[in-house]
Amino acid sequence: MDNKTLAELLVEVRAKRPLIHHITNYVTVNDCANATICIGASPVMAHARDEVAEMVSMAGALVLNIGTLDDAQVDSMLIAGAKANGLGLPIILDPVGAGATRLRTATAYRLINDLDIAVVKGNAAEIAVLAGAEGNIKGVESYGISRDPLEVAKALAKKMGLVVAISGATDIVTDGRRALLIDNGHPLMGKVSGTGCMAASIIGSFCAVSRDYVTASAAGFAAFGLAGEKAASHCRGPASFKAALMDEIYGLTPESLIKEARVREA
Amino acid sequence: MDNKTLAELLVEVRAKRPLIHHITNYVTVNDCANATICIGASPVMAHARDEVAEMVSMAGALVLNIGTLDDAQVDSMLIAGAKANGLGLPIILDPVGAGATRLRTATAYRLINDLDIAVVKGNAAEIAVLAGAEGNIKGVESYGISRDPLEVAKALAKKMGLVVAISGATDIVTDGRRALLIDNGHPLMGKVSGTGCMAASIIGSFCAVSRDYVTASAAGFAAFGLAGEKAASHCRGPASFKAALMDEIYGLTPESLIKEARVREA
Amino acid sequence: MDNKTLAELLVEVRAKRPLIHHITNYVTVNDCANATICIGASPVMAHARDEVAEMVSMAGALVLNIGTLDDAQVDSMLIAGAKANGLGLPIILDPVGAGATRLRTATAYRLINDLDIAVVKGNAAEIAVLAGAEGNIKGVESYGISRDPLEVAKALAKKMGLVVAISGATDIVTDGRRALLIDNGHPLMGKVSGTGCMAASIIGSFCAVSRDYVTASAAGFAAFGLAGEKAASHCRGPASFKAALMDEIYGLTPESLIKEARVREA
């Protein structure tokens, strides 16, 4: 993996400023909006069934997050998703809490089956559940899985024909054949609600400017993780870290990505 | 424009601490609540159709924001708005994304037509769309308009019989005859999700203590913009700027408004 | 009250990391999630009627907050609450705005009557309203009550058979017989939207690890208030205070609770 490619994607995001349409949870929606602005794209959140198709028509990517799902929201996701597919726009799915309740697992499957998802991004347990493996999930947090996450990711990617992105100490991105591991990041990212959701927004921003969703997802993880490393050096705890993280996403330079991104082939 | 008038309004907001009832989007609602507290008023958010009329009866102003609208929410806006009109309370409308989708444009028109709106506050493109001019809007952001925004604002104000407030590098406030331009502000305000929404909350707080909605809206823009200028001097990026902005709204003194507000007749 | 007991509870929260299921308002939900993480527990927010019973089955406590209630949400609260009762899990109720509208007062009563609530936590006016006394409430803020809050709290606790927790300059916790007063805290906590909601999340985290809900609630207030005291020493206003507050909750040590908690018998 050449870090120059990642840096060029960041330049592209900031030049094109794609609109990232989110249908997402009400817990971390503000963080998703601000992370999207900070990376250089433009967020919009809209869920009304009468407007989602029209809104997504202006977008460069669609981010679906089931963190606080309900029936009406899932309907809107399906409408927006069908439109995005018709237009060839990438859909990023964050299956928050898949495995925690039947509703979440079933909804994640439904979205993957009914729509053409470009990237499914989750923690190890969520991805394991979708891959049919055992995932230990409590609420929306992963408590580990029983198999090698890279194998699980590859299996899901192949089976569903999409890119799988697993967030963790080492992030994983794979389309079932090629696999990238991203070592950027900081443990404080696990102490802030919504870093997973923010990662999906940033991955969506990169996918909006490149058809190579494996590289785009890796770029998103690397940019986000690198910002986290920098933020950790000037904070006092999770909340000042979160503000610093946003500031560092905003301040991230292509040069810094070239020098400090740690992406390797698996 | 005498800055002493603006300063007196700020003193009044803090003395009376009016309740500002918001029916608003779930993206920036927390920022609206905190901005309202920081300027010296008291926020309440309530959307259930069974309570909005009762809640607005206690309020000094009603802020309606269609940033994440849906049918049920619009119904509640109409109920609360009718009650506010009956009581003579000012309604501030933030037509977020008008022009981006037919639903948003139609809803903004419906609220303006069915209710007696005191102030409609938007970015240049949203206001242009409502005025029947061409506005270039993508998602919820203005990408410029084809006509002079002051003329567009005046035209809409005259046609609808309300005060029009346009946020921008130079903010505009007009009732169609008188027009004020406010030069306070900082570019970082455009890098934070929700500054437009927060401006509406602050304008609502000032409108709750003065029937002169042109002056009150100008006071709101000046106070908010001035806080932004001060915040920009001690931050590292958009997120630390946002926290600093809130702190500076809270710390804003009447003396500072007298010295540093930059409001001029158009 | 021995501060060592409070410190042991904090250690317990961090060791067990209980899942705290919230059905709460969309204004301060992000703050509740982060406060829960910072104290050492694990938050989940879920409101869909098809999943709340399943989600609460994994939880250590259920927090119900009516800050932006509507019919569907109250239905889900009743379903989740019944399940929590069946499992013997503590329910913490935050009756935000009880007394402000008939809907809020009636809903708070309904939840207290239909469910077995462990702790009802509110400001003085909300608790007074529920106790049948006079509470002066405007929106969601208490403007004082006409009777001694300790007497009001005791009366409600006895009548309803639950623990009553009143937040204020001096917090009150009582089951009708025993009563504890907590003197930790800082006035800036009243200048941030959501500190009341966050207190309920923290109390819920402590109640998840102890059946002595009086002590657990006092521990929650003491921990939260002490973090507020520490935060106030390094901030510039309400927003930097809020970030510092979260950081200090995260950094709070058992030793600090032993030394600085100020809990006394009434």
Side-chain angles (χ1 to χ4, degrees):
Chain A
M1 186 73 227
D2 186 352
N3 283 352
K4 262 175 99 175
T5 311
L6 309 178
E8 284 163 8
L9 286 179
L10 178 62
V11 171
E12 195 87 340
V13 168
R14 290 179 178 166
K16 290 201 178 154
R17 227 171 139 210
L19 186 72
I20 311 302
H21 181 184
H22 292 71
I23 304 180
T24 188
N25 70 75
Y26 50 79
V27 183
T28 65
V29 59
N30 186 267
D31 298 330
C32 290
N34 279 309
T36 303
I37 293 173
C38 286
I39 198 64
S42 178
V44 75
M45 280 66 185
H47 69 282
R49 52 180 298 134
D50 290 343
E51 71 165 351
V52 287
E54 201 176 348
M55 192 63 93
V56 87
S57 305
M58 276 171 280
L62 174 64
V63 175
L64 305 178
N65 174 309
I66 64 168
T68 54
L69 82 176
D70 58 28
D71 288 349
Q73 197 195 36
V74 174
D75 281 350
S76 293
M77 287 183 180
L78 290 168
I79 295 170
K83 184 72 181 180
N85 282 164
L87 296 166
L89 299 174
I91 303 175
I92 289 77
L93 171 64
D94 194 339
V96 181
T101 67
R102 284 184 301 266
L103 179 66
R104 287 175 190 240
T105 308
T107 300
Y109 274 127
R110 188 174 170 202
L111 292 168
I112 289 176
N113 287 324
D114 289 9
L115 300 173
D116 182 6
I117 301 290
V119 182
V120 57
K121 183 224 64 75
N123 59 37
E126 289 156 355
I127 296 300
V129 165
L130 296 181
E134 225 175 305
N136 183 4
I137 190 141
K138 195 175 80 172
V140 295
E141 271 187 79
S142 171
Y143 282 76
I145 63 176
S146 55
R147 287 171 46 200
D148 174 30
L150 177 58
E151 290 316 306
V152 167
K154 280 187 171 173
L156 181 62
K158 268 184 206 154
K159 186 171 147 199
M160 297 296 189
L162 41 64
V163 171
V164 172
I166 298 184
S167 57
T170 292
D171 306 309
I172 297 169
V173 177
T174 182
D175 60 2
R177 293 174 302 275
R178 195 180 160 208
L180 297 174
L181 305 178
I182 302 94
D183 293 315
N184 294 103
H186 192 276
L188 273 171
M189 298 172 94
K191 297 298 176 188
V192 175
S193 169
T195 43
C197 309
M198 290 160 63
S201 297
I202 290 177
I203 287 173
S205 301
F206 280 95
C207 287
V209 299
S210 168
R211 290 280 146 182
D212 175 356
Y213 300 139
V214 171
T215 303
S217 297
F221 272 141
F224 190 51
L226 183 51
E229 293 170 22
K230 292 173 187 288
S233 72
H234 55 99
C235 70
R236 301 175 71 127
S240 53
F241 172 74
K242 177 171 140 181
L245 174 60
M246 292 282 189
D247 286 352
E248 294 290 351
I249 297 170
Y250 182 75
L252 200 66
T253 60
E255 292 69 37
S256 168
L257 263 182
I258 291 176
K259 266 203 243 164
E260 300 171 89
R262 287 179 285 150
V263 180
R264 54 192 163 102
E265 307 278 337
Chain B
M1 187 75 224
D2 186 352
N3 283 354
K4 265 175 97 173
T5 312
L6 309 178
E8 284 162 9
L9 287 178
L10 178 62
V11 172
E12 194 88 340
V13 168
R14 291 178 176 165
K16 289 200 180 157
R17 227 171 138 211
L19 186 71
I20 312 302
H21 180 185
H22 292 69
I23 304 180
T24 189
N25 70 76
Y26 50 80
V27 184
T28 65
V29 58
N30 186 267
D31 299 329
C32 290
N34 280 309
T36 303
I37 292 172
C38 286
I39 198 66
S42 178
V44 75
M45 281 65 185
H47 69 280
R49 52 180 298 135
D50 290 343
E51 72 166 349
V52 287
E54 201 176 348
M55 192 63 93
V56 86
S57 305
M58 277 171 280
L62 173 65
V63 175
L64 304 179
N65 174 309
I66 62 168
T68 53
L69 82 175
D70 58 28
D71 288 350
Q73 196 195 37
V74 174
D75 280 351
S76 292
M77 287 182 180
L78 290 167
I79 295 169
K83 185 70 181 182
N85 282 163
L87 296 166
L89 298 175
I91 302 175
I92 289 77
L93 171 64
D94 194 339
V96 181
T101 65
R102 285 184 300 268
L103 179 66
R104 286 175 192 241
T105 309
T107 301
Y109 274 127
R110 188 174 171 202
L111 292 168
I112 290 176
N113 286 324
D114 288 9
L115 300 173
D116 183 6
I117 302 289
V119 182
V120 57
K121 182 223 67 72
N123 60 37
E126 289 157 355
I127 297 299
V129 165
L130 296 181
E134 226 176 304
N136 184 4
I137 191 143
K138 195 174 79 171
V140 296
E141 271 187 77
S142 172
Y143 282 76
I145 63 175
S146 55
R147 286 170 46 199
D148 174 30
L150 177 57
E151 290 316 307
V152 168
K154 279 188 172 174
L156 181 62
K158 268 185 205 155
K159 186 172 150 200
M160 297 294 189
L162 41 65
V163 172
V164 172
I166 299 184
S167 57
T170 293
D171 305 310
I172 297 168
V173 177
T174 182
D175 60 3
R177 293 175 302 276
R178 197 178 158 209
L180 297 174
L181 304 178
I182 302 95
D183 293 315
N184 295 104
H186 192 276
L188 273 172
M189 298 172 94
K191 297 297 176 189
V192 177
S193 170
T195 43
C197 309
M198 290 160 63
S201 297
I202 290 176
I203 287 174
S205 301
F206 281 95
C207 287
V209 299
S210 168
R211 289 281 146 183
D212 175 356
Y213 300 138
V214 171
T215 302
S217 298
F221 273 140
F224 190 51
L226 183 50
E229 293 170 21
K230 292 173 188 288
S233 73
H234 56 99
C235 70
R236 300 175 72 127
S240 53
F241 172 76
K242 177 171 141 180
L245 174 60
M246 293 282 190
D247 286 352
E248 294 291 350
I249 297 170
Y250 182 74
L252 199 66
T253 60
E255 293 69 35
S256 170
L257 264 182
I258 290 175
K259 265 202 243 164
E260 299 172 88
R262 287 179 285 151
V263 180
R264 54 192 162 100
E265 307 277 337
Chain C
M1 187 71 227
D2 186 352
N3 284 352
K4 263 176 100 174
T5 312
L6 309 178
E8 285 162 8
L9 286 179
L10 178 62
V11 171
E12 194 87 343
V13 169
R14 291 179 176 165
K16 291 201 180 156
R17 226 168 140 212
L19 186 71
I20 311 302
H21 181 185
H22 292 71
I23 303 180
T24 188
N25 70 76
Y26 50 80
V27 184
T28 65
V29 59
N30 185 268
D31 298 330
C32 291
N34 279 309
T36 304
I37 292 173
C38 286
I39 198 66
S42 178
V44 74
M45 280 64 184
H47 70 281
R49 53 180 298 136
D50 290 343
E51 72 165 350
V52 288
E54 200 176 349
M55 191 63 93
V56 85
S57 304
M58 278 171 280
L62 174 65
V63 175
L64 305 178
N65 173 309
I66 63 169
T68 53
L69 81 176
D70 57 29
D71 288 349
Q73 197 194 37
V74 173
D75 280 351
S76 293
M77 287 181 180
L78 291 167
I79 295 169
K83 184 71 181 182
N85 282 164
L87 296 165
L89 298 175
I91 303 176
I92 289 76
L93 171 65
D94 194 339
V96 181
T101 66
R102 284 183 301 267
L103 179 66
R104 287 176 190 241
T105 309
T107 300
Y109 274 126
R110 189 174 170 201
L111 292 168
I112 290 175
N113 287 325
D114 288 10
L115 301 172
D116 182 6
I117 302 289
V119 182
V120 57
K121 184 224 63 75
N123 61 37
E126 288 157 354
I127 297 299
V129 164
L130 296 181
E134 226 176 303
N136 183 5
I137 191 143
K138 195 174 79 173
V140 295
E141 271 187 78
S142 171
Y143 282 76
I145 63 175
S146 55
R147 288 169 47 199
D148 174 30
L150 177 57
E151 289 316 307
V152 168
K154 279 188 172 172
L156 180 63
K158 270 185 205 154
K159 187 172 149 200
M160 298 295 190
L162 40 67
V163 171
V164 172
I166 298 184
S167 57
T170 293
D171 305 310
I172 297 168
V173 177
T174 182
D175 60 2
R177 293 174 303 276
R178 194 179 159 209
L180 297 173
L181 305 177
I182 302 95
D183 292 315
N184 295 102
H186 192 277
L188 272 172
M189 297 172 94
K191 298 297 176 188
V192 176
S193 170
T195 43
C197 309
M198 289 160 64
S201 296
I202 290 176
I203 286 173
S205 301
F206 281 95
C207 287
V209 299
S210 168
R211 291 279 146 183
D212 175 356
Y213 300 139
V214 170
T215 302
S217 299
F221 272 142
F224 190 50
L226 182 51
E229 292 169 22
K230 292 174 186 290
S233 72
H234 55 99
C235 70
R236 302 176 71 129
S240 52
F241 172 74
K242 178 171 141 181
L245 174 59
M246 292 283 189
D247 286 352
E248 294 291 350
I249 297 170
Y250 182 75
L252 200 66
T253 60
E255 293 70 34
S256 169
L257 264 182
I258 291 175
K259 266 203 242 163
E260 301 172 87
R262 287 178 286 150
V263 180
R264 55 194 162 98
E265 308 276 338

